[in-house]
Amino acid sequence: MKFQNNISLKKYNTFGIDIIAEKFISVNTLSQLKEIISCHKDIFVLSGGSNVLLTQKIKKPVVHINIKGIELVGNESDNNAVFVKVQAGENWHEFVLWCLEHNYGGIENLSLIPGNVGTSPMQNIGAYGVEIKDVFYQLEALEIASNTIKKFDKANCNFGYRESIFKNIDKNKFIITNVTFKLTKKMHSLNTSYGAIQEELTKNSIKAPSIKDVSNAVIAIRKSKLPDPKEIGNSGSFFKNPVINRAKFNSLKQKYPGIPNYNISEDLVKIPAGWLIEQCGFKGKRFGNAGVHKNQALVLVNHGNATGLEIYELSQNILKAVLEKFDIGLDTEVNIV
Ligand code: EPU
């Protein structure tokens, strides 16, 4: 297998940043991946490129995971459950559409999320009341050090809000090669509690929604708020929604009575970072080629030929402004390289 030299990664990252990889290879099978790992341990793994901000030339060999395939795996213990094993290189939204076509329920709320299946567990992707951990059964990952496959069940992954062990203690140690989901075959348990989904269904006079109706509602909401990476480069939410203690929330509420919030526990409250950023005046603003999206301040965008550093600089200015105004430190959701 041969690496290509000096390849632009522009079409491999949803921000559309034009960064050069000194060495690049795309792998289609597990045996190709193992062959590479037998010679190269210090690599940069690239999947859908939907959660990464590239700020500098990549000197490590870039390995693009393009292993495809979807299959049902037997497990007859529950006659409403279906177990679907999906290879890492499958596009996430195309997999959602495949499930809808086969009437398999569980991931309809996760429609239109950019990226590939292999990276979906890394940050426990989530939207509109559902996270991947709700339908996750197990995954297989190649351990780089030993070049062997290891299996992880849900407990081993230690999922949290946009978190898993693959972003923390096991960062850069494994390459996820496939994920198995446990979905429903008929009695689907729909999650339509999210306000915007309810509104969308009511608007379309849908009283008894199917999984396809829920997916369509989510697609409509996302299209109205979030920019399509094919039209304008972005990586979805750039920051995580911060969680603060209740005493701090109460004092903020005095000053900003309309502050949106979600209860996490008796002591903890989550605040939408988009609101904090909008309050600091960034929403819809453009700084050179980098900007903040006009409908969702949590999303940073590439207006054309932004460099990774321009976007990074904007993110730092936002962090500083939110810290100064609210005394809240935001964490980035996107991986900065
Ligand atoms: N808001 C504003 N101004 C903004 C954006 C949001 O005031 O510019 C406030 C509004 O009050 C709104 C609230 O924030 O009601 C929540 O906004 P939204 O429903 O858009 O959700 P979010 O908390 O900003 C999170 C996820 C999204 C996911 C949505 C829906 C994170 C970091 N982001 O955003 O995920 O689609 O909920 O479930 O948790 C992603 O991870 O890339 C992503 C897009």
Side-chain angles (χ1 to χ4, degrees):
M1 295 198 67
K2 269 188 125 184
F3 282 91
Q4 292 172 274
N5 295 324
N6 298 319
I7 289 289
S8 167
L9 295 181
K10 192 174 167 79
K11 66 171 187 190
Y12 293 102
N13 71 100
T14 60
F15 254 124
I17 305 290
D18 193 6
I19 283 279
I20 296 293
E22 286 190 353
K23 281 168 161 281
F24 177 91
I25 199 159
S26 193
V27 295
N28 305 316
T29 65
L30 177 59
S31 59
Q32 287 176 344
L33 181 60
K34 282 185 155 182
E35 193 185 325
I36 307 263
I37 298 303
S38 65
C39 318
H40 303 272
K41 300 283 180 209
D42 195 14
I43 56 165
F44 179 84
V45 180
L46 185 65
S47 181
S50 62
N51 206 38
V52 66
L53 176 65
L54 302 170
T55 61
Q56 54 189 313
K57 192 174 195 173
I58 316 281
K59 294 191 184 303
K60 292 179 185 181
V62 173
V63 181
H64 176 235
I65 309 298
N66 196 30
I67 310 172
K68 305 273 194 193
I70 303 180
E71 65 186 305
L72 299 187
V73 285
N75 189 323
E76 303 302 323
S77 57
D78 175 349
N79 66 9
N80 195 37
V82 60
F83 291 81
V84 188
K85 184 173 178 179
V86 190
Q87 299 301 317
E90 288 288 343
N91 173 272
W92 175 263
H93 183 60
E94 280 170 24
F95 169 52
V96 174
L97 295 178
W98 182 90
C99 289
L100 293 172
E101 221 173 86
H102 291 81
N103 194 29
Y104 297 151
I107 55 172
E108 53 284 352
N109 293 46
L110 305 178
S111 298
L112 217 60
I113 295 183
N116 285 355
V117 169
T119 37
S120 61
M122 288 189 77
Q123 52 150 355
N124 182 24
I125 60 169
Y128 310 105
V130 174
E131 289 180 333
I132 206 132
K133 72 168 172 47
D134 305 330
V135 289
F136 178 90
Y137 182 64
Q138 68 171 31
L139 65 77
E140 290 183 330
L142 189 69
E143 185 181 42
I144 295 175
S146 63
N147 206 5
T148 56
I149 288 286
K150 300 265 152 88
K151 279 190 179 162
F152 292 78
D153 63 16
K154 197 189 287 194
N156 298 142
C157 293
N158 211 0
F159 290 123
Y161 166 57
R162 297 296 195 273
E163 285 294 345
S164 76
I165 48 156
F166 302 104
K167 268 183 91 175
N168 291 304
I169 50 166
D170 280 338
K171 192 171 176 178
N172 298 333
K173 291 188 189 157
F174 291 92
I175 302 169
I176 296 171
T177 56
N178 63 67
V179 187
T180 303
F181 299 93
K182 184 181 178 189
L183 305 171
T184 49
K185 275 200 277 205
K186 34 190 188 237
M187 284 130 31
H188 305 305
S189 79
L190 299 185
N191 189 328
T192 55
S193 55
Y194 201 90
I197 294 188
Q198 298 265 359
E199 282 164 31
E200 192 61 35
L201 293 172
T202 312
K203 197 174 94 190
N204 296 313
S205 314
I206 296 169
K207 294 209 176 77
S210 64
I211 52 175
K212 181 92 181 116
D213 293 326
V214 175
S215 168
N216 286 339
V218 167
I219 289 173
I221 300 161
R222 287 189 78 97
K223 281 192 169 160
S224 72
K225 277 195 191 175
L226 298 167
D228 179 351
K230 286 193 196 104
E231 283 156 25
I232 179 161
N234 76 90
S235 231
S237 302
F238 196 89
F239 302 99
K240 290 204 254 184
N241 286 333
V243 174
I244 60 175
N245 67 44
R246 191 158 299 274
K248 180 162 180 88
F249 171 70
N250 289 339
S251 81
L252 278 174
K253 178 124 179 110
Q254 298 233 311
K255 207 165 165 198
Y256 307 95
I259 183 170
N261 60 89
Y262 316 104
N263 262 340
I264 298 288
S265 66
E266 216 170 283
D267 303 328
L268 298 172
V269 184
K270 195 189 264 184
I271 310 291
W275 182 85
L276 297 168
I277 298 167
E278 182 173 351
Q279 295 299 309
C280 292
F282 284 96
K283 192 169 181 171
K285 290 270 167 66
R286 182 173 176 160
F287 306 85
N289 287 313
V292 177
H293 189 55
K294 59 183 189 327
N295 299 333
Q296 167 53 291
L298 195 47
V299 179
L300 304 191
V301 294
N302 175 1
H303 281 292
N305 296 315
T307 62
L309 279 175
E310 268 180 290
I311 307 248
Y312 177 72
E313 218 169 89
L314 171 57
S315 75
Q316 295 306 295
N317 291 338
I318 290 172
L319 278 178
K320 218 166 120 219
V322 170
L323 189 64
E324 267 166 26
K325 192 171 169 84
F326 296 102
D327 192 28
I328 294 177
L330 295 179
D331 285 332
T332 49
E333 195 202 270
V334 168
N335 243 324
I336 297 166
V337 176

